[in-house]
Amino acid sequence: MTSPLLDIRNISKAFGAIKASEDVSLTLMKGEIHALIGPNGAGKSTLIKQIAGNLNPDSGSIWFDGRDVTALDTVARARAGLGRTFQISSLAMEMSVLQNAVLGALGKRGQVMRFFRDVMRDAALLEVAHAALAEVGLANVAGTRVADLSHGQRRQLEVAVALTQSPKAFLMDEPMAGLGGEGTARLTPFLDRLRHRAPILLVEHDMDAVFALADRISVLVYGRIIATGTPDMIRQNPDVRAAYLGDEALT
Amino acid sequence: MSLILFIEQMLNGVQFGVMLFLMAAGLTLIFGVMGLINLAHGSLYMIGAFAAAWVAGMTGSFLLALIASLAAAAAAGALIELTVIRRLYDRDHLDQVLATFALILIFSEGTRWVFGSFPLFLEIPPYLSGPVTLPGGIDYPLYRLAIIGVGLLVAAGLFALIARTRIGIQIRAGEADREMIAALGVNISALYTLVFALGAALAGLAGALVGAIQSVQIGMGEPVLILAFVVIVIGGIGSIKGALVGAILVGLTDTLGRVLLPVFFAQFMTPQAANSVGSSLASMSIYILMAGVLVMRPSGLFGKA
Amino acid sequence: MRREPLLNAAVFLGLLAVVLWAQAMDEPFTITLATRVAILALAGVGLNLALGLGGLVSLGHAVFFGIGGYAMGILASHAQSYSPLIEWPMLIEGTKSMPVIWLVAMGASGLAALGIGALSLRTSGVYFIMITLAFGQMFYYFAISWPAYGGEDGLSIYVRNGFAGLNTLDPIQFFAICYVILGLALWLFSRLSRSAFGLALGAARQNGERVMAVGIAPYRLRLVAFGLSGVITGLAGALFADLNRFVSPTMFSWQTSGEIMVFVILGGVARLFGPVIGAAVFILLEHVLGGLSDFWHIYLGAVLLGVVLFARGGIIGLISGREVRHD
């Protein structure tokens, strides 16, 4: 049995009396899409923050690529290969699409403290940046200011920047948010192909996408994982139905 | 150094601290509720002092002078809030800094235009002058004691306002979530103007009270403003309690530092060298204190981390 | 052709043209004014690096201006009185050689910037603004209370310092030195803003989270930017003290910090030539308005307020619009 790429072991985090995460464990295996769902207020964002390194868990540990990364901050985890997209697009708004992508490539390459050469003429960085933009379909707007992009295009750029990192795993926080039918229809097969490059821990509300894409689903309610399994198992799990999906069956 | 001298200096430090509190409380309230950094606060302090000196000169009444300082500073505060400040709430800190710096220029030169470059004098009224004998046989100026008293009263009043009145609740709610209270129907504009004017009044009062011990002159407010910033950094932004604790700490550190450091250095230096090294270091002591607090608690002692 | 580079070239050459004209018309005072513009612009270029590129609202940048000035003052005063600075553990004598003074000024202000930056950059937002202001004040009071170098009265240096091969007392030759240094600083700024460092720093200014997510630590970027910024402003301080042959604690004051920031904003923050245009306009206003009214600061305040509220991009913004993205 291969070891998981991302192994979250018994994470707990409390804010005063509120237990945002209670003994949460989940794994992400190579080549899979593992979706994390749960009603609002379940503690998904707190969990994401702990996985990404923005918050320290009170107890438990997080292992990535065979290393204990619990003590590492976001920058260190990014360098270790954890790619990330944000629920609310987090981009350098005044810069162009291409500049954001080059920034990603630069972060991957390192050697940021270069002062004299024009970074936007760096062939190696440009190659990585252009490739990522082409993959998500943003090649034709490379020169556009991010602030002038549509919402959907910004979501695409989020993914493109994550691609420039060539990460070992993706942590995606609601990539479909606000995308609408057409955008979702394009992103879904994209993520489907992406899993083979690096597995994805996918937090999503869009149930159609989740059930279409996920190899495994974990359900988070009030800070606890109440079920983990294949989409079919989750669909039929009575606790999940009661807590989240309601009694209407989702096909 | 005698115990009497030490206690005297400690009281001076508390008095200094209490005045800083009046400045810092206004600043921290304005920042906590409106998210605005206000460099013009020093100008409001100056306006209070000038108003007091002018009214005292005209009427001979110190009480009227104090009332004038409160009124003038509050009015000036309300005026700039309505015309300039409210355009800045949504802007970034750089814009707020620049705009309020512009206000300093306008106020300073404007005051110089009206009153001339020479300092005005505000006299301690006869019923507050002279020393008072404290338990232990220490003679201490009555006026300075009165300042301490006023300052502590104001502190108590502020705490009561924030903790127990409707305005106080609105202020606390505004500090926690600005958008929410607007959604709840609180009249934000009026609240903001009120908070700004209140902060301004406190600054003006401080200016007037201090104006009687030091002189009333252009530019008197900015050094105090910067010290108030130090107080807020130490105490934590948005916390009135932090402002009080920070202010007393800063006041004591500065005053006692000036007295104790030369004495300390005199142990192993010539008196002349000790004096110069001591007073140079004393002038830096507050900032060293600030740096120290920052290293340990980057959000200040009582700040929201 | 795009407007901004044209404007920049026009301003840079224009400054030189004014000086050449003044030389021809035998108006040394104008040359001195132009030299002031160049030096203050240099100080502004330093600040612009931290403020414009880095987004660091440093309200105490006069610290570095003052350190540079006092580096010059201390070295030159020891040289002119033929007394060494210290004799133990090694003999350090004063000097009146400009290049040496510049190196010391830059080194000292750079170190101070790293120190202040290391402490202040752990905070952000308003805290950072207040802390930098406070450190400025600290140096100001220290300079006032330290008697060895003039205290509140300041320190006079009788003869301008020397630069091999030039007569530095000749206004146009001293201007030439400052002009070349300004040119170099502008070139450096331009290279920095296009570099990998500049890209990351600018992105950190706009969105720190984004930069961290690609594995870059904003703190280190900002510290380096702040350090470099201090070095440049420190050099300007040394030149300023040389121009006036006088150093005083005022070089550390909050008013000076404010003025440097005003030039940068007036000209256009983050724009390459913002500080140059801003300094030129400021000196012009000081000269023209100051001649008309003793209270010209009121007008300066009004202009500044107007720029902040209505013309955010400063003069360059008004003339050449939003910065053109280069890719």
Side-chain angles (χ1 to χ4, degrees):
Chain A
M1 157 138 152
T2 48
S3 53
L5 198 45
L6 181 62
D7 191 354
I8 293 145
R9 302 180 188 172
N10 308 99
I11 294 285
S12 291
K13 180 80 184 170
F15 296 109
I18 301 176
K19 299 205 181 109
S21 306
E22 211 180 323
D23 200 32
V24 170
S25 292
L26 57 85
T27 60
L28 182 66
M29 312 293 290
K30 214 161 168 271
E32 79 166 335
I33 293 183
H34 188 151
L36 181 65
I37 64 175
N40 282 326
K44 294 198 295 294
S45 11
T46 310
L47 185 57
I48 297 284
K49 285 188 186 156
Q50 292 174 81
I51 299 175
N54 295 105
L55 266 184
N56 279 333
D58 296 331
S59 61
S61 60
I62 299 176
W63 291 72
F64 183 65
D65 199 23
R67 289 165 58 200
D68 184 349
V69 298
T70 323
L72 297 185
D73 65 4
T74 43
V75 174
R77 291 187 205 192
R79 313 224 65 174
L82 184 60
R84 187 177 175 190
T85 69
F86 295 86
Q87 181 183 10
I88 301 176
S89 291
S90 183
L91 300 161
M93 300 297 274
E94 292 159 39
M95 291 182 168
S96 69
V97 167
L98 185 60
Q99 282 177 308
N100 272 271
V102 169
L103 178 70
L106 176 65
K108 175 71 183 172
R109 179 192 80 183
Q111 293 166 2
V112 180
M113 298 293 183
R114 292 251 189 104
F115 303 104
F116 293 100
R117 295 164 107 235
D118 190 339
V119 72
M120 296 308 290
R121 293 209 210 285
D122 185 316
L125 294 179
L126 283 173
E127 199 184 312
V128 173
H130 279 299
L133 290 179
E135 266 200 78
V136 302
L138 284 178
N140 56 325
V141 291
T144 314
R145 229 167 123 250
V146 172
D148 296 332
L149 290 179
S150 71
H151 175 76
Q153 287 171 314
R154 286 187 212 165
R155 306 302 284 141
Q156 285 170 280
L157 182 55
E158 277 277 318
V159 177
V161 177
L163 284 177
T164 60
Q165 301 292 291
S166 299
K168 300 199 178 112
F170 287 99
L171 179 60
M172 292 197 173
D173 195 352
E174 298 193 38
M176 315 273 184
L179 269 190
E182 199 191 308
T184 310
R186 245 184 313 163
L187 190 55
T188 305
F190 181 83
L191 293 180
D192 202 19
R193 291 192 303 273
L194 193 59
R195 87 176 82 201
H196 301 297
R197 220 186 299 174
I200 306 174
L201 180 58
L202 177 71
V203 177
E204 246 313 327
H205 268 304
D206 184 334
M207 285 301 122
D208 292 331
V210 165
F211 279 88
L213 284 172
D215 297 301
R216 285 192 297 155
I217 301 177
S218 288
V219 185
L220 189 69
V221 179
Y222 291 135
R224 292 176 51 243
I225 302 266
I226 61 170
T228 299
T230 64
D232 278 329
M233 288 164 58
I234 294 296
R235 209 177 285 147
Q236 286 153 33
N237 184 311
D239 297 326
V240 172
R241 294 172 83 116
Y244 187 37
L245 296 174
D247 282 320
E248 315 151 35
L250 257 181
T251 37
Chain B
M1 189 193 49
S2 67
L3 184 63
I4 292 187
L5 192 62
F6 185 75
I7 295 187
E8 236 179 57
Q9 292 303 327
M10 277 207 66
L11 284 171
N12 282 348
V14 171
Q15 179 250 297
F16 182 34
V18 147
M19 285 299 95
L20 282 180
F21 168 71
L22 289 183
M23 281 292 269
L27 278 172
T28 208
L29 253 187
I30 291 174
F31 190 79
V33 175
M34 286 105 91
L36 180 106
I37 174 167
N38 178 28
L39 292 186
H41 221 68
S43 299
L44 296 165
Y45 174 93
M46 177 188 74
I47 286 175
F50 271 87
W54 189 65
V55 167
M58 302 266 288
T59 67
S61 161
F62 189 73
L63 200 54
L64 277 181
L66 282 186
I67 296 177
S69 75
L70 284 168
L79 178 65
I80 60 177
E81 199 276 338
L82 290 169
T83 53
V84 175
I85 303 288
R86 56 179 46 195
R87 297 173 201 264
L88 299 172
Y89 296 133
D90 291 327
R91 306 281 211 111
D92 60 23
H93 292 316
L94 175 61
D95 287 351
Q96 296 173 356
V97 159
L98 292 167
T100 51
F101 180 78
L103 287 175
I104 297 181
L105 291 174
I106 295 174
F107 275 124
S108 291
E109 289 300 282
T111 307
R112 197 161 71 91
W113 182 61
V114 171
F115 287 99
S117 301
F118 291 102
L120 293 187
F121 289 101
L122 179 61
E123 282 186 12
I124 303 178
Y127 52 87
L128 281 180
S129 55
V132 144
T133 313
L134 299 172
I138 305 167
D139 276 344
Y140 193 69
L142 173 59
Y143 185 68
R144 289 183 183 250
L145 269 179
I147 292 185
I148 296 180
V150 167
L152 292 176
L153 255 173
V154 169
L158 264 180
F159 282 120
L161 176 78
I162 305 250
R164 283 173 218 253
T165 65
R166 260 184 97 222
I167 301 276
I169 294 180
Q170 290 176 355
I171 289 176
R172 272 183 292 148
E175 281 183 337
D177 192 330
R178 230 166 284 143
E179 278 151 30
M180 190 47 121
I181 55 167
L184 288 175
V186 173
N187 187 345
I188 297 291
S189 320
L191 180 65
Y192 285 5
T193 310
L194 182 69
V195 171
F196 198 85
L198 174 63
L202 290 175
L205 178 64
L209 288 173
V210 172
I213 327 181
Q214 301 168 0
S215 59
V216 175
Q217 57 190 348
I218 315 278
M220 62 188 289
E222 279 67 50
V224 185
L225 172 77
I226 299 178
L227 281 177
F229 282 154
V230 174
V231 166
I232 294 180
V233 168
I234 290 177
I237 290 196
S239 162
I240 305 262
K241 183 166 63 164
L244 186 57
V245 170
I248 304 286
L249 257 178
V250 167
L252 284 173
T253 305
D254 186 62
T255 313
L256 291 178
R258 284 178 201 286
V259 167
L260 292 176
L261 278 170
V263 170
F264 173 70
F265 282 108
Q267 309 289 331
F268 41 88
M269 280 187 195
T270 68
Q272 202 195 23
N275 236 334
S276 80
V277 172
S279 47
S280 298
L281 270 182
S283 63
M284 303 200 326
S285 58
I286 303 179
Y287 307 99
I288 299 176
L289 171 68
M290 177 187 80
V293 170
L294 274 180
V295 166
M296 292 191 302
R297 301 277 294 262
S299 312
L301 295 173
F302 297 98
K304 302 145 206 221
Chain C
M1 256 196 98
R2 298 188 328 220
R3 271 183 278 177
E4 190 177 338
L6 277 178
L7 178 64
N8 294 348
V11 169
F12 199 56
L13 292 172
L15 190 59
L16 183 61
V18 164
V19 168
L20 291 174
W21 173 86
Q23 177 79 337
M25 307 295 285
D26 195 23
E27 299 252 7
F29 180 66
T30 307
I31 303 184
T32 305
L33 266 187
T35 314
R36 268 192 88 204
V37 170
I39 294 175
L40 291 175
L42 181 66
V45 170
L47 176 62
N48 210 10
L49 183 52
L51 177 64
L53 279 188
L56 307 172
V57 184
S58 168
L59 257 189
H61 235 65
V63 167
F64 312 118
F65 197 62
I67 288 178
Y70 269 89
M72 182 304 237
I74 292 174
L75 285 171
S77 73
H78 277 277
Q80 76 187 7
S81 65
Y82 301 104
S83 60
L85 259 99
I86 36 179
E87 290 178 272
W88 189 92
M90 53 187 251
L91 178 69
I92 300 186
E93 294 189 314
T95 175
K96 284 188 69 57
S97 155
M98 278 189 190
V100 176
I101 289 177
W102 296 341
L103 278 172
V104 173
M106 291 196 285
S109 45
L111 269 174
L114 287 177
I116 294 178
L119 269 174
S120 319
L121 287 169
R122 289 181 193 286
T123 67
S124 59
V126 219
Y127 282 106
F128 181 79
I129 300 174
M130 299 196 288
I131 290 163
T132 50
L133 189 54
F135 275 123
Q137 200 73 338
M138 174 178 104
F139 275 84
Y140 174 70
Y141 283 128
F142 184 74
I144 287 185
S145 66
W146 196 18
Y149 297 106
E152 198 162 352
D153 298 326
L155 192 61
S156 285
I157 304 296
Y158 309 123
V159 182
R160 187 159 291 157
N161 296 309
F163 190 90
L166 291 179
N167 173 14
T168 56
L169 269 172
D170 181 10
I172 197 169
Q173 292 188 54
F174 186 61
F175 170 79
I177 293 175
C178 299
Y179 187 68
V180 168
I181 292 179
L182 176 64
L184 283 172
L186 286 167
W187 174 83
L188 180 67
F189 186 92
S190 153
R191 291 259 57 97
L192 280 174
S193 56
R194 288 178 203 278
S195 70
F197 171 74
L199 182 74
L201 182 66
R205 182 189 85 235
Q206 295 168 47
N207 193 330
E209 189 178 49
R210 165 47 53 196
V211 164
M212 290 196 287
V214 300
I216 302 175
Y219 175 79
R220 212 163 346 134
L221 292 170
R222 292 174 180 150
L223 187 58
V224 171
F226 199 70
L228 281 174
S229 155
V231 167
I232 296 176
T233 304
L235 180 56
L239 289 171
F240 191 75
D242 226 333
L243 176 68
N244 299 317
R245 280 171 276 159
F246 179 66
V247 192
S248 80
T250 326
M251 283 183 80
F252 284 119
S253 69
W254 63 268
Q255 290 98 323
T256 304
S257 282
E259 272 173 17
I260 302 178
M261 198 173 274
V262 169
F263 319 140
V264 174
I265 298 313
L266 267 185
V269 67
R271 305 291 188 132
L272 179 64
F273 267 75
V276 184
I277 294 182
V281 169
F282 181 83
I283 299 286
L284 213 61
L285 280 177
E286 187 181 57
H287 199 57
V288 171
L289 284 181
L292 293 175
S293 159
D294 208 16
F295 303 101
W296 74 281
H297 268 159
I298 297 186
Y299 304 111
L300 178 66
V303 168
L304 179 61
L305 203 50
V307 168
V308 174
L309 291 178
F310 307 116
R312 206 33 190 69
I315 292 176
I316 299 187
L318 279 176
I319 296 181
S320 50
R322 199 160 52 198
E323 203 167 352
V324 178
R325 295 260 51 98
H326 45 83
D327 50 34

